[in-house]
Amino acid sequence: MALFLSGCAITQEAAPVDERSAASANARTAPAGTETPEGVEVFPAQTAPMTQRSMESMETTPEPSTAAEPETPRAATPQSPAVVALLDNADRQADSGKLDGAAAALERALRIEPRNAILWQRLADIRLRQNQPGQAESLALKSNTLAVGDRGTQADNWRIIAKSRRMRGDADGARQADSRADALLGRDGGGAQ
């Protein structure tokens, strides 16, 4: 044990100093075009030529939109290859009627990307198809909290909420949810489908 701890002991010797390091520091801090003690001239660094890619990344002003209404961004699509594969698996399972398998795949994807509004929305839709309207509504509301600024995804979530409310016999709540979806899409709405 003592041998092990002796490797951690602090020594009192100073580290060797290289005399060139002081001269290099002088060279780095000397004004441009002046001569340092070693006779080295210091000049400002030349910038590398701009590539097309670096010029594009510097552009910060977006081009004006010709549309009357600004385009709203869509919720994040899955970024992880694993999530994309799980989403594809969930789609295949849902298409073949295996809703439990689809839900399991979506839940696994959500463990990887828990802030992905689309994944929450897809799980809400599956829960609705599994006749679990309360859970579907909760999941759609969760998706809405993550889909800030994405009116299309939020409107789709409100449609899921409207369907879940209809399934529970809440016609007024369903109409309100449909109205919110219509408002997000810029429609007048006003009635149940």
Side-chain angles (χ1 to χ4, degrees), residues 23-44:
S24 296
N26 287 342
R28 284 193 299 271
T29 59
T34 62
E35 207 169 291
T36 62
E38 289 89 31
V40 176
E41 285 189 68
V42 178
F43 294 97

Side-chain angles (χ1 to χ4, degrees), residues 91 94 99 106 118-132 135-137 139-140 156-157 159-160 163 167:
D91 287 341
L99 299 179
L106 288 166
I118 298 297
L119 296 175
W120 288 102
Q121 182 184 69
R122 300 289 285 279
L123 185 57
D125 185 57
I126 293 295
R127 294 300 186 214
L128 193 64
R129 292 171 62 184
Q130 290 177 315
N131 199 26
Q132 297 177 24
Q135 195 169 23
E137 182 170 343
L139 294 167
D156 292 344
N157 285 327
R159 297 284 184 220
I160 291 171
K163 288 176 187 174
M167 288 175 75

Side-chain angles (χ1 to χ4, degrees), residues 78-89 113:
Q79 301 297 314
S80 164
V83 171
V84 172
L86 286 166
L87 192 53
D88 288 343
N89 182 20
E113 288 186 21

Side-chain angles (χ1 to χ4, degrees), residues 73-75 117-118 121 143-144 147 150-158:
R74 291 297 291 178
I118 298 297
Q121 182 184 69
S143 177
N144 270 349
D150 180 357
R151 298 168 77 84
T153 299
Q154 289 178 332
D156 292 344
N157 285 327
W158 281 108

Side-chain angles (χ1 to χ4, degrees), residues 102-120:
L106 288 166
E107 288 169 350
R108 286 178 60 201
L110 280 165
R111 284 195 284 283
I112 298 168
E113 288 186 21
R115 297 198 49 80
N116 189 312
I118 298 297
L119 296 175
W120 288 102

Side-chain angles (χ1 to χ4, degrees), residues 91-108:
D91 287 341
R92 282 192 305 277
Q93 298 237 11
D95 290 345
S96 65
K98 299 176 183 172
L99 299 179
D100 289 338
L106 288 166
E107 288 169 350
R108 286 178 60 201

